[in-house]
mmCIF file of all heavy atoms in Angstrom:
data_model
loop_
_atom_site.group_PDB
_atom_site.id
_atom_site.type_symbol
_atom_site.label_atom_id
_atom_site.label_comp_id
_atom_site.label_asym_id
_atom_site.label_seq_id
_atom_site.Cartn_x
_atom_site.Cartn_y
_atom_site.Cartn_z
ATOM 1 N N ALA A 1178 0.482 -17.143 17.224
ATOM 2 C CA ALA A 1178 0.038 -16.587 18.504
ATOM 3 C C ALA A 1178 1.123 -16.729 19.575
ATOM 4 O O ALA A 1178 1.351 -15.816 20.370
ATOM 5 C CB ALA A 1178 -1.253 -17.281 18.963
ATOM 6 N N ASN A 1194 8.086 -25.220 5.784
ATOM 7 C CA ASN A 1194 7.210 -26.373 5.619
ATOM 8 C C ASN A 1194 8.047 -27.576 5.188
ATOM 9 O O ASN A 1194 8.484 -27.672 4.044
ATOM 10 C CB ASN A 1194 6.126 -26.072 4.581
ATOM 11 C CG ASN A 1194 5.081 -27.161 4.498
ATOM 12 O OD1 ASN A 1194 5.315 -28.304 4.889
ATOM 13 N ND2 ASN A 1194 3.910 -26.814 4.003
ATOM 14 N N ALA A 1196 7.236 -30.522 4.605
ATOM 15 C CA ALA A 1196 6.597 -31.423 3.649
ATOM 16 C C ALA A 1196 6.642 -30.882 2.230
ATOM 17 O O ALA A 1196 6.341 -31.606 1.284
ATOM 18 C CB ALA A 1196 5.146 -31.675 4.059
ATOM 19 N N MET A 1203 16.539 -30.177 1.339
ATOM 20 C CA MET A 1203 16.134 -29.764 2.675
ATOM 21 C C MET A 1203 17.306 -29.271 3.526
ATOM 22 O O MET A 1203 17.207 -28.275 4.238
ATOM 23 C CB MET A 1203 15.412 -30.912 3.381
ATOM 24 C CG MET A 1203 14.666 -30.462 4.631
ATOM 25 S SD MET A 1203 13.588 -31.733 5.297
ATOM 26 C CE MET A 1203 12.333 -31.818 4.018
ATOM 27 N N SER A 1205 20.092 -27.883 2.567
ATOM 28 C CA SER A 1205 20.480 -26.557 2.092
ATOM 29 C C SER A 1205 19.481 -25.496 2.536
ATOM 30 O O SER A 1205 19.869 -24.385 2.916
ATOM 31 C CB SER A 1205 20.602 -26.563 0.571
ATOM 32 O OG SER A 1205 20.776 -25.255 0.072
ATOM 33 N N GLU A 1211 27.241 -22.909 0.533
ATOM 34 C CA GLU A 1211 28.275 -22.060 -0.039
ATOM 35 C C GLU A 1211 28.198 -22.112 -1.561
ATOM 36 O O GLU A 1211 27.651 -23.056 -2.142
ATOM 37 C CB GLU A 1211 29.660 -22.525 0.423
ATOM 38 C CG GLU A 1211 29.914 -22.371 1.908
ATOM 39 C CD GLU A 1211 30.035 -20.915 2.339
ATOM 40 O OE1 GLU A 1211 30.325 -20.055 1.470
ATOM 41 O OE2 GLU A 1211 29.846 -20.640 3.544
ATOM 42 N N PHE A 1259 25.828 -25.004 13.579
ATOM 43 C CA PHE A 1259 25.751 -25.823 12.376
ATOM 44 C C PHE A 1259 26.760 -25.303 11.360
ATOM 45 O O PHE A 1259 27.397 -24.265 11.577
ATOM 46 C CB PHE A 1259 24.334 -25.767 11.770
ATOM 47 C CG PHE A 1259 23.931 -24.396 11.310
ATOM 48 C CD1 PHE A 1259 24.156 -23.993 9.999
ATOM 49 C CD2 PHE A 1259 23.358 -23.486 12.187
ATOM 50 C CE1 PHE A 1259 23.796 -22.720 9.565
ATOM 51 C CE2 PHE A 1259 23.004 -22.211 11.772
ATOM 52 C CZ PHE A 1259 23.220 -21.827 10.464
ATOM 53 N N ARG A 1261 27.135 -24.548 7.031
ATOM 54 C CA ARG A 1261 26.462 -24.536 5.734
ATOM 55 C C ARG A 1261 26.936 -25.728 4.908
ATOM 56 O O ARG A 1261 28.042 -26.236 5.113
ATOM 57 C CB ARG A 1261 26.777 -23.255 4.958
ATOM 58 C CG ARG A 1261 26.212 -21.979 5.545
ATOM 59 C CD ARG A 1261 26.340 -20.858 4.515
ATOM 60 N NE ARG A 1261 25.968 -19.567 5.063
ATOM 61 C CZ ARG A 1261 26.839 -18.676 5.529
ATOM 62 N NH1 ARG A 1261 28.140 -18.946 5.494
ATOM 63 N NH2 ARG A 1261 26.432 -17.531 6.007
ATOM 64 N N ARG A 1280 0.976 -36.108 12.857
ATOM 65 C CA ARG A 1280 1.182 -37.524 13.125
ATOM 66 C C ARG A 1280 1.422 -37.755 14.613
ATOM 67 O O ARG A 1280 1.778 -36.847 15.351
ATOM 68 C CB ARG A 1280 2.382 -38.062 12.346
ATOM 69 C CG ARG A 1280 2.225 -38.041 10.846
ATOM 70 C CD ARG A 1280 3.383 -38.772 10.210
ATOM 71 N NE ARG A 1280 3.340 -38.695 8.753
ATOM 72 C CZ ARG A 1280 4.215 -39.291 7.970
ATOM 73 N NH1 ARG A 1280 5.192 -40.018 8.490
ATOM 74 N NH2 ARG A 1280 4.122 -39.181 6.655
ATOM 75 N N ARG A 1292 13.669 -40.141 15.038
ATOM 76 C CA ARG A 1292 14.651 -40.397 16.095
ATOM 77 C C ARG A 1292 14.051 -40.159 17.472
ATOM 78 O O ARG A 1292 13.420 -39.120 17.702
ATOM 79 C CB ARG A 1292 15.876 -39.509 15.909
ATOM 80 C CG ARG A 1292 16.746 -39.860 14.725
ATOM 81 C CD ARG A 1292 17.916 -38.899 14.646
ATOM 82 N NE ARG A 1292 18.762 -38.994 15.822
ATOM 83 C CZ ARG A 1292 19.996 -39.509 15.827
ATOM 84 N NH1 ARG A 1292 20.499 -40.011 14.705
ATOM 85 N NH2 ARG A 1292 20.706 -39.533 16.930
ATOM 86 N N GLU A 1317 -18.831 -21.931 14.074
ATOM 87 C CA GLU A 1317 -19.508 -20.705 13.653
ATOM 88 C C GLU A 1317 -18.536 -19.525 13.605
ATOM 89 O O GLU A 1317 -18.579 -18.709 12.667
ATOM 90 C CB GLU A 1317 -20.675 -20.387 14.584
ATOM 91 C CG GLU A 1317 -21.429 -19.129 14.156
ATOM 92 C CD GLU A 1317 -22.663 -18.848 15.002
ATOM 93 O OE1 GLU A 1317 -22.943 -19.640 15.929
ATOM 94 O OE2 GLU A 1317 -23.332 -17.829 14.742
ATOM 95 N N PRO A 1337 -25.542 -13.734 3.950
ATOM 96 C CA PRO A 1337 -26.261 -14.238 5.130
ATOM 97 C C PRO A 1337 -26.226 -15.761 5.118
ATOM 98 O O PRO A 1337 -26.034 -16.390 4.071
ATOM 99 C CB PRO A 1337 -27.676 -13.707 4.943
ATOM 100 C CG PRO A 1337 -27.810 -13.485 3.480
ATOM 101 C CD PRO A 1337 -26.446 -13.117 2.976
ATOM 102 N N ALA A 1340 -30.092 -20.524 9.027
ATOM 103 C CA ALA A 1340 -29.933 -21.055 10.384
ATOM 104 C C ALA A 1340 -29.839 -22.573 10.398
ATOM 105 O O ALA A 1340 -29.018 -23.156 11.129
ATOM 106 C CB ALA A 1340 -31.096 -20.590 11.263
ATOM 107 N N SER A 1350 -18.630 -33.725 10.288
ATOM 108 C CA SER A 1350 -17.433 -34.376 10.849
ATOM 109 C C SER A 1350 -16.157 -33.579 10.606
ATOM 110 O O SER A 1350 -15.201 -33.687 11.363
ATOM 111 C CB SER A 1350 -17.270 -35.770 10.246
ATOM 112 O OG SER A 1350 -17.047 -35.682 8.856
ATOM 113 N N ASN A 1354 -10.595 -30.880 8.967
ATOM 114 C CA ASN A 1354 -10.442 -29.826 9.969
ATOM 115 C C ASN A 1354 -10.636 -28.429 9.363
ATOM 116 O O ASN A 1354 -11.459 -28.248 8.482
ATOM 117 C CB ASN A 1354 -9.083 -29.956 10.676
ATOM 118 C CG ASN A 1354 -9.060 -31.140 11.620
ATOM 119 O OD1 ASN A 1354 -9.955 -31.296 12.442
ATOM 120 N ND2 ASN A 1354 -8.054 -31.966 11.497
ATOM 121 N N ILE A 1355 -9.864 -27.458 9.835
ATOM 122 C CA ILE A 1355 -10.106 -26.070 9.448
ATOM 123 C C ILE A 1355 -9.870 -25.849 7.961
ATOM 124 O O ILE A 1355 -10.553 -25.052 7.331
ATOM 125 C CB ILE A 1355 -9.232 -25.119 10.298
ATOM 126 C CG1 ILE A 1355 -9.709 -25.146 11.748
ATOM 127 C CG2 ILE A 1355 -9.301 -23.689 9.765
ATOM 128 C CD1 ILE A 1355 -8.886 -24.319 12.694
ATOM 129 N N TRP A 1369 -22.363 -18.058 -4.206
ATOM 130 C CA TRP A 1369 -23.472 -17.255 -3.674
ATOM 131 C C TRP A 1369 -23.819 -16.082 -4.587
ATOM 132 O O TRP A 1369 -22.944 -15.417 -5.138
ATOM 133 C CB TRP A 1369 -23.105 -16.725 -2.290
ATOM 134 C CG TRP A 1369 -24.148 -15.823 -1.699
ATOM 135 C CD1 TRP A 1369 -25.352 -16.176 -1.181
ATOM 136 C CD2 TRP A 1369 -24.064 -14.394 -1.581
ATOM 137 N NE1 TRP A 1369 -26.028 -15.070 -0.734
ATOM 138 C CE2 TRP A 1369 -25.269 -13.964 -0.973
ATOM 139 C CE3 TRP A 1369 -23.109 -13.437 -1.926
ATOM 140 C CZ2 TRP A 1369 -25.523 -12.617 -0.699
ATOM 141 C CZ3 TRP A 1369 -23.360 -12.114 -1.660
ATOM 142 C CH2 TRP A 1369 -24.555 -11.712 -1.058
ATOM 143 N N GLY A 1406 -28.972 -38.510 -5.825
ATOM 144 C CA GLY A 1406 -28.607 -39.769 -6.464
ATOM 145 C C GLY A 1406 -27.637 -40.563 -5.627
ATOM 146 O O GLY A 1406 -27.607 -40.487 -4.410
ATOM 147 N N ALA A 1437 -4.284 -17.312 -7.301
ATOM 148 C CA ALA A 1437 -5.497 -18.137 -7.320
ATOM 149 C C ALA A 1437 -5.517 -19.094 -6.140
ATOM 150 O O ALA A 1437 -6.552 -19.285 -5.496
ATOM 151 C CB ALA A 1437 -5.576 -18.906 -8.639
ATOM 152 N N SER A 1464 -2.903 -19.280 -19.962
ATOM 153 C CA SER A 1464 -3.106 -17.963 -19.339
ATOM 154 C C SER A 1464 -1.787 -17.401 -18.845
ATOM 155 O O SER A 1464 -1.493 -16.218 -19.006
ATOM 156 C CB SER A 1464 -4.086 -18.092 -18.164
ATOM 157 O OG SER A 1464 -5.349 -18.501 -18.626
ATOM 158 N N THR A 1471 2.371 -10.240 -22.238
ATOM 159 C CA THR A 1471 1.863 -8.880 -22.069
ATOM 160 C C THR A 1471 2.540 -8.146 -20.930
ATOM 161 O O THR A 1471 2.291 -6.979 -20.699
ATOM 162 C CB THR A 1471 0.357 -8.905 -21.817
ATOM 163 O OG1 THR A 1471 0.094 -9.722 -20.665
ATOM 164 C CG2 THR A 1471 -0.378 -9.478 -23.005
#
Side-chain angles (χ1 to χ4, degrees):
N1194 187 339
M1203 194 170 291
S1205 171
E1211 294 291 339
F1259 63 92
R1261 293 192 187 97
R1280 295 188 184 182
R1292 290 179 62 110
E1317 181 176 0
S1350 64
N1354 287 310
I1355 292 177
W1369 177 74
S1464 296
T1471 57

